[in-house]
Amino acid sequence: MRTGNEPLTARSPLRLRCGLAVLGLVFSGAGAALFALTGHPGWAAAFAALALVTVADLSVVIHHIHQGAHYQPGRDVPPYEPLGDDRPPGPRPGPDRPGPRP
């Protein structure tokens, strides 16, 4: 259920993102080198540009990891604020008072 504040409380698996960025850097660097060696400068430039974007992403991820728990909340921090109690007043369902039946 959406609460409307997801951008404020969104979580990012930074270690997974870091691993994928390293993998992307390896593959884009290898692609740039292979295309440069085989004489395809356009593809080599495209893969080199992708490697630069990957380096920028990796530096941001590493910076956020070094920031600490502020960017990586633990399991005790809920991913969103609890919903408000907007039910009408009156008796609440409980063990001795069953709720409405579907």
Side-chain angles (χ1 to χ4, degrees), residues 16-50:
L16 175 65
R17 192 171 154 198
C18 182
L20 290 174
V22 167
L23 189 64
L25 181 61
V26 168
F27 282 124
S28 60
L34 288 175
F35 280 120
L37 290 175
T38 58
H40 295 89
W43 283 104
F47 273 85
L50 184 62

Side-chain angles (χ1 to χ4, degrees), residues 1-98:
M1 176 176 285
R2 292 184 55 93
T3 61
N5 67 350
E6 281 79 8
L8 298 175
T9 59
R11 297 180 187 207
S12 174
L14 292 174
R15 285 186 173 76
L16 175 65
R17 192 171 154 198
C18 182
L20 290 174
V22 167
L23 189 64
L25 181 61
V26 168
F27 282 124
S28 60
L34 288 175
F35 280 120
L37 290 175
T38 58
H40 295 89
W43 283 104
F47 273 85
L50 184 62
L52 289 175
V53 170
T54 307
V55 166
D57 181 47
L58 190 57
S59 65
V60 168
V61 170
I62 290 173
H63 175 71
H64 283 183
I65 288 174
H66 285 263
Q67 289 286 314
H70 177 70
Y71 288 99
Q72 301 175 43
R75 293 189 183 273
D76 57 335
V77 177
Y80 55 85
E81 295 175 11
L83 295 175
D85 190 16
D86 56 353
R87 293 181 284 184
R92 305 287 170 110
D96 57 340
R97 285 175 272 144

